[in-house]
Amino acid sequence: GVRTAGRIVEVEAYVGPDDPAAHGFGGRRTPRNDRLFGPPGTAYIYFIYGMYWCVNAVTETEGFPSAVLIRALEPLSGVATMRRRRGGRADSLLCSGPGRLCQAMGITGAWNGSRLRGPAIGIRRGRAPPRVATGPRVGISKAVDWPLRFWDPDSVWVSR
DNA sequence: TGAATGATGTTT
DNA sequence: AACATCATTCAT
């Protein structure tokens, strides 16, 4: 298959059992969030609103539920494949949003629990943006003022 | 440009 | 009933 890749330009952090907006809140482990409690470098992928997948990178030690939600990418390769998967919508909407980027890259729950350093799915270190903006997380109703959204303010590929 | 709303199914 | 969303429609 065609490989798709992009530069991460927007993320959100969900940190530990005391983060009221996080799926690991209260330390309650369920079938759905189980992979969030795995070792760092694990993919935690969940299904939301009956239609979309979202992908996270688990970040902290095993048993401590923390992850970074990948919210937007700058498309770099496999763009024609991304366009096809996204139904021919505008390039600006290819990977700008957690649901959109999973659709563009073909990411589904089949990869939940994968190690994020493999042939199928992975994250590599790239160049750091010169600046990083921070602000409230999107689409949540608790801890709305925690500034745990981070994005590249110089990128046109962020979700807002 | 922005607000409102329907689409969808799983989880609590 | 809520949900870590998105596309469409309708109003400015």
Side-chain angles (χ1 to χ4, degrees):
Chain A
V2 175
R3 291 180 66 83
T4 56
R7 184 177 73 98
I8 296 171
V9 296
E10 178 185 351
V11 299
E12 282 174 358
Y14 289 87
V15 186
D18 297 324
D19 180 346
H23 290 177
F25 181 60
R28 287 185 292 275
R29 201 163 174 164
T30 68
R32 178 208 197 198
N33 69 15
D34 184 71
R35 300 304 196 169
L36 178 58
F37 291 76
T42 300
Y44 167 51
I45 301 171
Y46 64 90
F47 191 55
I48 192 65
Y49 294 113
M51 270 186 264
Y52 301 103
W53 296 96
C54 293
V55 61
N56 295 254
V58 174
T59 49
E60 307 259 351
T61 76
E62 191 157 7
F64 189 85
S66 284
V68 166
L69 170 69
I70 313 301
R71 283 199 58 90
L73 306 174
E74 172 185 348
L76 290 181
S77 57
V79 174
T81 296
M82 291 183 179
R83 289 194 186 106
R84 176 174 51 75
R85 289 177 174 149
R86 289 280 300 139
R89 292 193 171 82
D91 280 7
S92 62
L93 302 178
L94 275 187
C95 296
S96 59
R100 292 176 183 140
L101 73 89
C102 280
Q103 199 172 38
M105 303 192 91
I107 295 172
T108 71
W111 285 273
N112 188 32
S114 297
R115 197 98 185 48
L116 284 174
R117 200 184 286 275
I121 184 172
I123 298 177
R124 292 195 244 170
R125 180 179 297 279
R127 67 178 203 280
R131 303 187 294 144
V132 176
T134 72
R137 294 173 291 186
V138 173
I140 56 170
S141 57
K142 297 163 191 160
V144 290
D145 54 329
W146 294 20
L148 292 180
R149 175 172 172 247
F150 304 88
W151 69 95
D152 177 352
D154 301 308
S155 173
V156 301
W157 301 99
V158 299
S159 72
R160 313 215 311 122

